[in-house]
Amino acid sequence: MATDALFQNIRVYWLAFIVYWGIVLFGYDTGIGGGVVSQAYFKTHFGLVNPDGSPNTKKANDVSSNVVSVLQAGAFFGALGSAPVSAAFGRKWSLFSFTVIFAIGAILQTIAGGSRGLGYIYAGRVIAGVGIGAISAVAPAYVSECSPKEVRGRITGLFQIMVAVGVMISYFINLGVSLHISSGYAVWRIPFGFQLVPAGIMAFGLLTVKESPRWLASKGHIDAAITNLAYMRRLHPDHERVRSEMAEIEAAIVEEREARKGLGLREAFFGKGNFIRFVIAIVIFLLQQWGGQNSVNYYAPLIFQSIGYSGTSNSLLASGIYGIVKVVATALFVFFLVDSLGRKMSLFISSMGMGILFFIIGALLKMHPPPSVAQATPPPASKAMAAMLYLYVCFYSVGWGPLPWVYVSDIFPTRTRHYGLATASASQWLFNFVLSKVTPDMVTDLGYKIFLMFATINIAGMATFSLLIPETKGRSLEEMDVIFGSVSADQRRADIARQERVLEHEANETRSEQSIEHKV
């Protein structure tokens, strides 16, 4: 039966496979920058060392933070601009154009070197960021709209896994370059140029898939929507299942239009029960970014060097193992645990585990600082701290990694959902940008204290926040209005009872008409 369902939906799986290369790009691009800048030849070629050849930490930190953070800045604007573009031109061709924009940025990064200085890398990262931000916003919506509900959760849950896969690939490409290429432009051209591989697969793959039936229906192209839906379900356009699903799509579109009729910014943000939802959406991503994970994610080689993994290859290998652990932990959570624990409990356990492990790392680093002279094998204390980081990413992957997006999607009703998700996405990229800009200097200036800072944020901020927010697991979107005070529970019960009476009355009338016809 499972095999039949797989083949029935094989075209949807193919679409997800193609579109999620953009999510691999998202992960790859966020992980690649810190590793490239940590390479010795990159620092020498672009003048990040002192005249005597000794490291210039300030310059290296500035360039490293710029290379990583300008991507987030571009992504901020890409995410904000993606909604009107995809609404006007469709999911498929929007993604195709954003992939082309990304490829232009990747080419600019790759050709840097010689007379083409760091400006090419910065410009390329900004342009690629615009593409990545837009792709990360449109791709999940496209896949969700094309997936039948029985496999939608499994397919959309791949998002976080593919991000982790992209980050892991970036770590191992940097490691391979470090081990086999010590000098020459290939030190950065291979990692930056590799971005064009997933981008190319996605661009050409998009030519083989169909437009979202839901978008076509929203534009009034009903016949094309039915044709595409039938193609994706591998059924005839007149099949009962296709017609039923199409009717459901059309009904939902009408309901959304009715729900948003007359909606203005004032009501969206400050209407009864709405403001607190926007506060939660902003704060949850503020805490996620300042919980420490993305600092480790973007600057893993620098972080591992700070705890004693001296030498580029050692730190990159430790980063690669970190990437593998993250992929496995995320996959286990998404496939087996995401619906077994509540949102609050998952977030609370995640933040407490991360905080405790960061306190342990900070204490170990204070008591056993890494040796000042580089060693071929990291000392035992450094290995212990690396193990703590590997455990830390497991806790991150069962809560604060995937769940903020799930929670934000839970709390907004249809009427204000587009404003809520746009605010959440913009907040995520904005805080991402700020954090990635300041992390290298914090690692250098704070030393072991950076781990104590993250530990305090995890326990005092994130764990407390987890206990204060309402549970949403198993609650309908309609119940969210009661939870956040948009309507009272008594009013909602009365409304439900009234609607049930209306439906019962209509059903009785239908039965009476059928009885009369039968007698005639």
Side-chain angles (χ1 to χ4, degrees):
M1 192 72 181
T3 306
D4 292 342
L6 173 62
F7 282 107
Q8 185 71 47
N9 295 310
I10 194 71
R11 287 168 179 163
V12 178
Y13 281 105
W14 172 253
L15 183 143
F17 171 76
I18 293 300
V19 170
Y20 275 157
W21 276 104
I23 307 307
V24 172
L25 269 179
F26 171 33
Y28 182 86
D29 236 40
T30 53
I32 199 70
V36 169
V37 179
S38 71
Q39 303 280 9
Y41 184 78
F42 182 94
K43 292 178 180 177
T44 304
H45 182 82
F46 289 106
L48 308 185
V49 294
N50 294 316
D52 61 358
S54 60
N56 187 322
T57 304
K58 177 72 171 70
K59 242 184 195 179
N61 283 352
D62 287 344
V63 170
S64 183
S65 67
N66 288 340
V67 166
V68 174
S69 65
V70 292
L71 180 87
Q72 324 301 333
F76 173 80
F77 293 104
L80 284 181
S82 65
V85 173
S86 69
F89 300 105
R91 316 302 189 216
K92 173 181 172 177
W93 293 111
S94 295
L95 278 178
F96 185 84
S97 61
F98 292 137
T99 305
V100 171
I101 290 171
F102 172 85
I104 293 170
I107 290 169
L108 285 175
Q109 296 169 58
T110 305
I111 65 174
S115 61
R116 296 182 290 272
L118 282 171
Y120 277 75
I121 293 179
Y122 291 154
R125 295 285 283 179
V126 171
I127 295 169
V130 171
I132 282 292
I135 289 170
S136 69
V138 177
Y142 185 21
V143 172
S144 179
E145 288 175 1
C146 295
S147 302
K149 51 191 168 191
E150 59 266 23
V151 296
R152 184 177 297 142
R154 188 186 310 147
I155 291 177
T156 54
L158 290 172
F159 181 96
Q160 197 70 26
I161 298 173
M162 301 310 281
V163 173
V165 167
V167 173
M168 180 187 71
I169 292 172
S170 75
Y171 291 158
F172 278 103
I173 289 223
N174 275 330
L175 174 62
V177 169
S178 170
L179 292 175
H180 301 291
I181 303 172
S182 59
S183 63
Y185 295 172
V187 165
W188 61 86
R189 285 187 173 171
I190 289 176
F192 286 147
F194 184 80
Q195 297 171 102
L196 294 168
V197 175
I201 294 173
M202 184 174 174
F204 287 110
L206 282 169
L207 301 177
T208 70
V209 300
K210 300 287 188 182
E211 181 56 86
S212 161
R214 196 184 190 287
W215 179 81
L216 288 168
S218 72
K219 294 297 181 181
H221 305 306
I222 304 301
D223 290 341
I226 292 173
T227 301
N228 283 10
L229 185 62
Y231 174 83
M232 290 176 184
R233 302 296 178 262
R234 301 182 73 213
L235 297 169
H236 192 274
D238 291 327
H239 193 281
E240 181 184 353
R241 182 182 164 193
V242 172
R243 292 292 174 177
S244 173
E245 189 171 350
M246 194 67 227
E248 189 177 351
I249 289 172
E250 288 185 80
I253 289 169
V254 171
E255 287 170 3
E256 283 184 20
R257 283 176 180 159
E258 286 298 315
R260 292 176 184 176
K261 192 176 289 182
L263 178 66
L265 286 174
R266 182 179 178 84
E267 183 201 338
F269 287 93
F270 300 105
K272 189 176 181 183
N274 286 349
F275 182 69
I276 186 62
R277 302 188 218 208
F278 282 93
V279 171
I280 289 174
I282 293 170
V283 172
I284 200 169
F285 282 109
L286 171 67
L287 291 172
Q288 185 201 45
Q289 297 306 313
W290 283 93
Q293 155 60 16
N294 277 346
S295 290
V296 180
N297 223 24
Y298 299 150
Y299 301 103
L302 181 63
I303 296 286
F304 280 103
Q305 285 174 12
S306 75
I307 62 173
Y309 279 72
S310 55
T312 305
S313 296
N314 270 342
S315 64
L316 287 172
L317 177 59
S319 304
I321 296 170
Y322 177 87
I324 293 174
V325 173
K326 184 176 180 182
V327 169
V328 173
T330 304
L332 289 174
F333 178 73
V334 166
F335 287 123
F336 301 110
L337 296 174
V338 69
D339 287 324
S340 58
L341 296 170
R343 314 287 192 244
K344 286 167 64 89
M345 186 54 64
S346 294
L347 290 170
F348 180 75
I349 292 171
S350 175
S351 49
M352 289 299 295
M354 291 189 297
I356 290 168
L357 289 164
F358 268 146
F359 270 127
I360 294 172
I361 294 170
L364 282 171
L365 193 55
K366 168 67 174 170
M367 301 300 294
H368 303 279
S372 54
V373 180
Q375 298 181 0
T377 304
S382 295
K383 292 179 179 177
M385 285 184 272
M388 295 300 107
L389 279 174
Y390 298 150
L391 286 175
Y392 157 81
V393 81
C394 293
F395 278 103
Y396 174 81
S397 299
V398 302
W400 280 89
L403 280 184
W405 281 113
V406 174
Y407 192 86
V408 167
S409 297
D410 285 344
I411 64 175
F412 285 101
T414 300
R415 186 165 172 81
T416 58
R417 176 174 297 273
H418 57 311
Y419 284 117
L421 295 182
T423 301
S425 181
S427 300
Q428 190 252 1
W429 286 113
L430 177 63
F431 298 134
N432 221 324
F433 166 75
V434 173
L435 184 75
S436 58
K437 181 70 181 138
V438 300
T439 292
D441 285 332
M442 287 199 304
V443 172
T444 301
D445 298 340
L446 296 180
Y448 75 91
K449 294 175 188 173
I450 190 172
F451 295 106
L452 302 183
M453 181 191 80
F454 287 143
T456 304
I457 292 171
N458 274 277
I459 292 176
M462 294 158 71
T464 305
F465 178 82
S466 303
L467 297 176
L468 294 176
I469 58 176
E471 179 60 75
T472 63
K473 177 177 176 282
R475 304 291 188 93
S476 69
L477 291 179
E478 289 69 33
E479 287 179 283
M480 293 299 116
D481 289 335
V482 176
I483 291 171
F484 288 100
S486 295
V487 297
S488 67
D490 290 340
Q491 182 184 336
R492 177 53 58 84
R493 279 194 294 270
D495 290 341
I496 292 172
R498 184 170 60 252
Q499 188 62 28
E500 285 175 343
R501 286 195 296 271
V502 170
L503 293 174
E504 186 177 353
H505 178 68
E506 290 175 351
N508 287 336
E509 284 189 343
T510 302
R511 283 195 293 269
S512 297
E513 290 173 1
Q514 290 173 343
S515 176
I516 292 169
E517 289 174 1
H518 181 70
K519 288 176 181 177
V520 172

